[in-house]
Amino acid sequence: MSVSPATLPPVLLHSEAELARAALATPLLSRAVRLARWAGPETRVGAGGELVDAQLPAAAAELGLAADDPDAAALASEAWRIAVDTGLVEVIDAEEEGAEGTVTPGEDLAVLSAGGPQDVLGVWLGALDTVYADATVPDMDNLLDVLEENGEVDFDQLGWDPQAEADFLDGVLGNLYLLTVGDAAAGGGPVPLPALAASMIVPDDMGEPTDDILEQVSDAMMKLDDQFRLFEPLGLVEYQPVDEALMAEIDAPDETGATGATEVPAPIDDEDVTRYGMVRLTPLGLYGVRARMLEAGVDAPAVGDLADKGADALLAGTSGFPQAAAQAEIEQWLARHEPLAAARELLAAARGGDEGAPLRRLRCQQALSLVGGEAEPALREVLDDPQLGGLARVWLTEHGATDVPAPSEQLIFWLTIDTLAAQLSAEGNSDELQGLVEGLAQQHSGFFATAWRVEHPATADVLEAMGRLHPDKKVAKEARKAAFKARSQQGM
């Protein structure tokens, strides 16, 4: 499985106990469990472990499916296959060729009752592998037409590349995962199916899509509609399928009498787009897709991965996290540490003159803001530290401490450059940073005359950024001049 970023944003997963409960409640796995417990000495299976046709009505009845339900047999057969593939039942092959086999309870059936959340999730992941495989095979109705004499499928005639199909589905779920994790602060809303299909088909540098590209997007949407319908009963996604009326329009014959020639028209508004399908990963789906990514060697961090690491790993690791994820990771880390010791460890890890140091100090400030008054001795110990004295004074003042020495002008300017460098590293040329730059230049008329002298490794870079971001041409020019002076002073 591959996605574009070398490292994905961290995902905030539900607890394993919550995920295990969700897994057991999914329609597909719960049906598989019911059939595994229903099966007994009289249960008969075919050579592939499938229930024989004569047993399907009883299996469907066990699942509470109506006898006249046209999908009853298929649903029972699907649930039984999950029970076999996940080890909930064990197939005993017949001794005589052509005879029916029997089953016994599988080892994993007891695991669901006596095991822990990880055991339950392991069974669910096994079910996901089965459904995943089903989602990447072609329409069974077409297979009979391309069977060779030896019973093997002619993939070339079918126009089906198994690896390409698997890669496509991996990419789709990877993109959906990235959209979900990246939009976590906004609640991870559903993604329109056309947008998801386009993310796999339309080149990034393409302006107006060609007719051929639009046709490929339409085909991809129809494929994804089928695949997400398979994944929903396993709890991987919440899915609103493509509107059946829209499907009928697509399949309607054209003027020549051909069907399936109509392209999916572009949605015209927010209400209209829902007709084309909407999908989102569930919390269980996030867990499942991440598990597959990790198995494939993709770096897919989760909030909590750094909770048992040192403060140096915490500050370095959260430097690239979005704000909400960094906050959640820091909270979990602090929960495992005594406040005063945590503050001392964080402050020690925040020191440094390297490129990543300003952002480490910003994350340190974020962490210390969550620590109570017990940490005060650690902050007082660094008041004279040239790199930490500024943030120590800010913390002490905010916590109502007395006898806090006033900062020198040199320290104020150093802390300002350090903070801007951290913001620039974390957010780039953001609107928030632009507002901060404008405010500084407005409040301090002689800011640039002093700022270029600040002995901070990032001084020149910060001043250059201020020249880039400030809308006033005169102020921007002052910033660029100051940046030139700073570079000259640093011998660059």
Side-chain angles (χ1 to χ4, degrees):
M1 178 175 286
S2 63
V3 289
S4 299
T7 301
L8 292 162
V11 59
L12 181 58
L13 296 173
H14 286 201
S15 70
E16 288 187 340
E18 290 176 292
L19 293 171
R21 285 194 294 270
L24 289 173
T26 60
L28 188 52
L29 185 57
S30 62
R31 288 174 190 155
V33 172
R34 288 182 66 177
L35 289 186
R37 290 173 176 159
W38 159 82
E42 303 302 318
T43 305
R44 294 291 179 266
V45 296
E50 73 282 1
L51 281 174
V52 298
D53 290 345
Q55 301 251 245
L56 287 176
E62 175 63 23
L63 296 178
L65 302 171
D68 58 352
D69 184 344
D71 297 325
L75 291 172
S77 180
E78 179 186 35
W80 179 258
R81 183 174 172 225
I82 294 295
V84 172
D85 287 355
T86 57
L88 300 180
V89 294
E90 182 179 348
V91 174
I92 302 174
D93 294 328
E95 295 181 1
E96 298 180 9
E97 186 175 350
E100 296 173 346
T102 58
V103 298
T104 61
E107 293 182 2
D108 283 338
L109 183 59
V111 163
L112 294 183
S113 301
Q118 283 189 350
D119 300 312
V120 173
L121 291 171
V123 173
W124 182 84
L125 287 172
L128 176 59
D129 287 341
T130 296
V131 178
Y132 212 91
D134 289 344
T136 56
V137 299
D139 188 342
M140 297 300 292
D141 293 338
N142 298 328
L143 284 179
L144 294 177
D145 298 332
V146 294
L147 282 176
E148 298 179 334
E149 291 183 2
N150 60 3
E152 295 184 357
V153 176
D154 183 347
F155 291 134
D156 291 335
Q157 184 179 345
L158 186 62
W160 178 63
D161 181 343
Q163 187 58 53
E165 292 295 329
D167 290 344
F168 177 82
L169 185 54
D170 283 345
V172 166
L173 291 178
N175 285 351
L176 187 56
Y177 180 94
L178 182 59
L179 288 168
T180 305
V181 173
D183 195 34
V191 178
L193 204 58
L196 192 57
S199 73
M200 295 296 298
I201 304 296
V202 181
D204 293 337
D205 58 353
M206 176 173 281
E208 189 71 21
T210 63
D211 290 342
D212 178 61
I213 289 293
L214 290 174
E215 185 176 351
Q216 290 182 50
V217 171
S218 298
D219 292 342
M221 282 176 56
M222 297 302 99
K223 180 193 298 184
L224 291 175
D225 182 66
D226 290 336
Q227 291 172 329
F228 288 136
R229 287 173 191 261
L230 290 176
F231 284 128
E232 187 174 36
L234 192 61
L236 189 81
V237 297
E238 292 177 6
Y239 183 54
Q240 177 181 323
V242 176
D243 190 332
E244 294 294 341
L246 182 63
M247 298 283 281
E249 292 174 17
I250 296 170
D251 292 335
D254 61 13
E255 295 177 356
T256 66
T259 60
T262 305
E263 290 184 10
V264 176
I268 56 176
D269 54 41
D270 291 342
E271 182 178 352
D272 188 51
V273 77
T274 62
R275 296 186 62 205
Y276 296 80
M278 303 288 286
V279 63
R280 82 167 94 200
L281 286 173
T282 65
L284 187 60
L286 280 171
Y287 169 84
V289 174
R290 177 176 181 265
R292 291 184 63 87
M293 286 181 172
L294 294 176
E295 187 177 352
V298 177
D299 185 6
V303 172
D305 286 350
L306 304 175
D308 58 351
K309 302 292 193 299
D312 53 348
L314 175 72
L315 297 185
T318 56
S319 292
F321 284 16
Q323 179 69 17
Q327 180 87 357
E329 186 71 62
I330 289 169
E331 288 174 353
Q332 292 197 28
W333 188 89
L334 288 173
R336 300 190 182 193
H337 294 76
E338 185 270 328
L340 180 56
R344 286 179 172 138
E345 189 177 347
L346 286 165
L347 288 165
R351 288 191 178 93
D354 57 284
E355 185 178 350
L359 190 49
R360 288 203 307 276
R361 283 186 282 273
L362 184 65
R363 292 296 186 228
C364 178
Q365 282 184 283
Q366 184 179 350
L368 291 172
S369 69
L370 304 175
V371 179
E374 306 98 311
E376 182 173 338
L379 277 299
R380 288 195 177 275
E381 290 165 5
V382 298
L383 281 172
D384 294 331
D385 189 297
Q387 295 181 347
L388 305 177
L391 68 86
R393 284 168 170 79
V394 171
W395 188 94
L396 290 168
T397 301
E398 289 178 345
H399 284 73
T402 57
D403 302 325
V404 180
S408 65
E409 182 181 70
Q410 181 182 5
L411 182 58
I412 292 173
F413 273 82
W414 192 95
L415 182 60
T416 300
I417 294 295
D418 198 58
T419 302
L420 288 172
Q423 294 284 359
L424 190 62
S425 178
E427 303 174 10
N429 300 334
S430 65
D431 292 341
E432 181 180 351
L433 183 58
Q434 181 174 341
L436 186 59
V437 166
E438 291 181 37
L440 276 172
Q442 184 176 3
Q443 294 170 20
H444 305 279
S445 57
F447 177 81
F448 297 111
T450 303
W452 69 267
R453 303 175 189 275
V454 174
E455 295 182 0
H456 189 294
T459 297
D461 290 336
V462 167
L463 292 173
E464 277 186 357
M466 294 182 76
R468 228 175 21 249
L469 292 169
H470 204 289
D472 187 295
K473 291 183 178 180
K474 181 180 178 182
V475 176
K477 185 176 181 180
E478 287 183 44
R480 289 193 294 271
K481 283 184 177 179
F484 178 80
K485 291 180 180 179
R487 292 203 185 279
S488 298
Q489 176 178 260
Q490 294 171 354
M492 300 174 65

